[in-house]
Amino acid sequence: MSRPKAKYEIIDDKGFVLSAHRTRQAAVDTWRTDHIGMPVTIWRRTNNATVKIVEGTWHEAQRPYNK
């Protein structure tokens, strides 16, 4: 039996979807490169459930060096 398809959404503190991704790693990578300094929540959504993956703010000091 295969797993249900999931969508990972990055949502700002006002409830707007900033971006959606097919994998958790893509969502986290986008959070730490494109949404620095913004409080966000990453949710995993399927047809059956919604699960909070992470909530917080990525700070400039934690930004990857190569970008």
Side-chain angles (χ1 to χ4, degrees):
M1 200 164 144
S2 65
R3 294 178 71 183
K5 299 230 185 223
K7 179 170 53 169
Y8 295 85
E9 294 180 340
I10 301 175
I11 300 177
D12 67 5
D13 59 345
K14 293 181 175 86
F16 294 109
V17 177
L18 300 173
S19 60
H21 304 276
R22 288 183 5 197
T23 65
R24 180 185 58 82
Q25 190 61 50
V28 170
D29 288 345
T30 300
W31 173 42
R32 64 185 204 184
T33 57
D34 296 347
H35 305 298
I36 295 170
M38 297 174 68
V40 300
T41 306
I42 299 177
W43 292 90
R44 179 181 189 267
R45 300 190 192 277
T46 62
N47 292 338
N48 301 332
T50 300
V51 178
K52 185 188 299 186
I53 301 297
V54 68
E55 181 176 18
T57 303
W58 197 274
H59 297 286
E60 182 69 31
Q62 297 168 321
R63 187 175 188 162
Y65 179 72
N66 61 358
K67 177 115 181 179

